[in-house]
Amino acid sequence: MSLDPKLLRHAEAARGFMPPDEGVALSEAAEAVSVPGPYLEVGSYCGKSSVYLGGIAKRQGRVLFALDHHRGSEENQAGWEHHEPDLVDDDIGKMDTLPIFRRTVHDAGLEGTVVALVGDSPTVGAVWDIPLALLFIDGGHGHEPAHRDYETWVPHVKVGGTLLIHDVFPDPADGGRPPYEIYLRAMESGAFREVDVTGSLRRLERIADGM
Ligand code: SAH
Ligand code: MG
């Protein structure tokens, strides 16, 4: 078991959309990273994946940037499949997962490791200049947001670094296409090799520059 038992309990108890086996696979992916540099996840929601990744980052002395505008994806909005009504700020009629995210990271003892980037992915990405040892893509799952996240963030993954993509469903009956499409882009680029498949989580290693 890669995450220590106390952190594992925090991760499993945290709200979010990461099944336990895929969460453990996230931790194992982080544990296997050998190149130096920080980690970044696109799409933190209430901080569940942040604990699985951040728990390992802490032990390694790394930072995990946790990027989210905390307003929810399309599929989190009212009337959609993954909507949780208590996450709406009633004063403004918009979702706000930031308070729960902060509480999750606090309770897991990861405030010194997990650095929240509260903003829109392309806005932050437009000024980003830090090479990444690990990138986890789990933001908007529509066609435009998923491909944009791919184009924005994948170039920052170092050779030898890790690219993780969540909600990859080769069979359309299991879920939406865009995460699968960006997984295919990575594979077809020749710049990545597949290392692991756990549920809908794909772990790739960058073996060459390009995308
Ligand atoms: N990794 C999380 C789940 C992420 S859900 C877990 O383990 O539970 C997807 C998240 O992506 C949502 O919180 C949503 O707010 C965020 N998101 C969607 N589009 C975004 C964008 N353009 N910029 C920043 N965050 C975005
Ligand atoms: Mg997901």
Side-chain angles (χ1 to χ4, degrees), residues 149-161:
D149 281 341
Y150 182 85
E151 287 154 20
T152 300
W153 294 103
V154 168
H156 296 293
V157 178
K158 290 180 164 188
V159 173

Side-chain angles (χ1 to χ4, degrees), residues 68-89:
D68 202 307
H69 51 35
H70 289 283
R71 297 297 186 205
S73 303
E74 193 178 45
E75 53 273 18
N76 305 128
Q77 306 304 321
W80 289 71
E81 184 188 351
H82 292 294
H83 183 58
E84 302 189 278
D86 64 309
L87 296 177
V88 174
D89 178 340

Side-chain angles (χ1 to χ4, degrees), residues 1-209:
M1 186 53 58
S2 51
L3 216 54
D4 83 59
K6 191 163 164 264
L7 271 180
L8 186 64
R9 281 198 299 278
H10 274 294
E12 285 176 349
R15 285 177 74 155
F17 304 115
M18 185 60 56
D21 60 325
E22 296 175 26
V24 168
L26 268 186
S27 294
E28 287 172 353
E31 199 161 40
V33 174
S34 56
V35 294
Y39 297 164
L40 186 142
E41 67 173 4
V42 183
S44 304
Y45 199 60
C46 297
K48 196 177 185 73
S49 52
S50 319
V51 177
Y52 282 112
L53 289 173
I56 304 298
K58 180 180 183 179
R59 209 159 68 201
Q60 296 170 328
R62 301 182 198 253
V63 163
L64 167 65
F65 293 107
L67 169 59
D68 202 307
H69 51 35
H70 289 283
R71 297 297 186 205
S73 303
E74 193 178 45
E75 53 273 18
N76 305 128
Q77 306 304 321
W80 289 71
E81 184 188 351
H82 292 294
H83 183 58
E84 302 189 278
D86 64 309
L87 296 177
V88 174
D89 178 340
D90 287 325
D91 291 340
I92 61 172
K94 291 181 179 172
M95 284 187 60
D96 186 3
T97 48
L98 183 58
I100 298 179
F101 167 87
R102 279 175 63 76
R103 183 62 193 269
T104 302
V105 171
H106 171 269
D107 289 356
L110 294 175
E111 287 192 328
T113 299
V114 179
V115 176
L117 298 175
V118 182
D120 191 29
S121 170
T123 305
V124 179
V127 296
W128 192 262
D129 204 16
I130 303 174
L132 301 171
L134 178 148
L135 170 66
F136 173 47
I137 300 184
D138 193 21
H141 287 5
H143 181 86
E144 205 269 329
H147 284 269
R148 195 187 47 202
D149 281 341
Y150 182 85
E151 287 154 20
T152 300
W153 294 103
V154 168
H156 296 293
V157 178
K158 290 180 164 188
V159 173
T162 295
L163 170 62
L164 293 152
I165 305 175
H166 198 225
D167 303 301
V168 171
F169 299 112
D171 183 347
D174 296 329
R177 306 309 285 157
Y180 178 59
E181 290 165 7
I182 65 172
Y183 155 77
L184 289 182
R185 282 180 76 172
M187 293 308 294
E188 285 161 8
S189 73
F192 290 90
R193 73 176 181 96
E194 187 162 282
V195 178
D196 182 64
V197 181
T198 301
S200 73
L201 181 72
R202 301 286 171 131
R203 191 215 299 190
L204 313 181
E205 182 196 346
R206 185 185 275 290
I207 51 174
D209 286 321

